[in-house]
Amino acid sequence: MCNPDAVPPVGTTPPNQPPLAVLTLLTGHYVADVVKVSTAGSTDVDGSLAGGTLTWGDGTPAETLVGAPLTEYTHLYAAAGPYAITLTLTDNQAAAQTTTVQVTLIV
């Protein structure tokens, strides 16, 4: 039986772990149709963040994140409605993780 917590044999490299993508909707920061999110807490335990994308769910082009992302992003929506905001992060070994938060705007 395989023990997932076992230390790999000397001379072997453990498999790459994907980054941890954290996306938080910052409540109380809405001004009409403006939404603010935070990526604070996003990290890569066995390397570094290489970049990623942030999509706002309204058809606007994705924001490209290079290197370690900023911690806060703001977006202006053109219309009321439900939106899925998605953060995808990639690490320096090409592993990726995606997370999504939902927001409904009543403008």
Side-chain angles (χ1 to χ4, degrees), residues 65-78:
L65 313 178
V66 178
L70 298 174
T71 58
E72 292 184 1
Y73 296 88
T74 303
H75 185 71
L76 174 67
Y77 285 92

Side-chain angles (χ1 to χ4, degrees), residues 41-107:
S42 295
T43 189
D44 186 45
V45 297
D46 62 351
S48 61
L49 295 173
T53 58
L54 182 61
T55 57
W56 296 98
D58 62 353
T60 58
E63 291 190 43
T64 301
L65 313 178
V66 178
L70 298 174
T71 58
E72 292 184 1
Y73 296 88
T74 303
H75 185 71
L76 174 67
Y77 285 92
Y83 297 98
I85 305 168
T86 302
L87 172 67
T88 300
L89 291 179
T90 305
D91 71 11
N92 61 317
Q93 296 181 51
Q97 186 185 54
T98 298
T99 188
T100 301
V101 296
Q102 303 289 328
V103 63
T104 299
L105 291 181
I106 302 169
V107 183

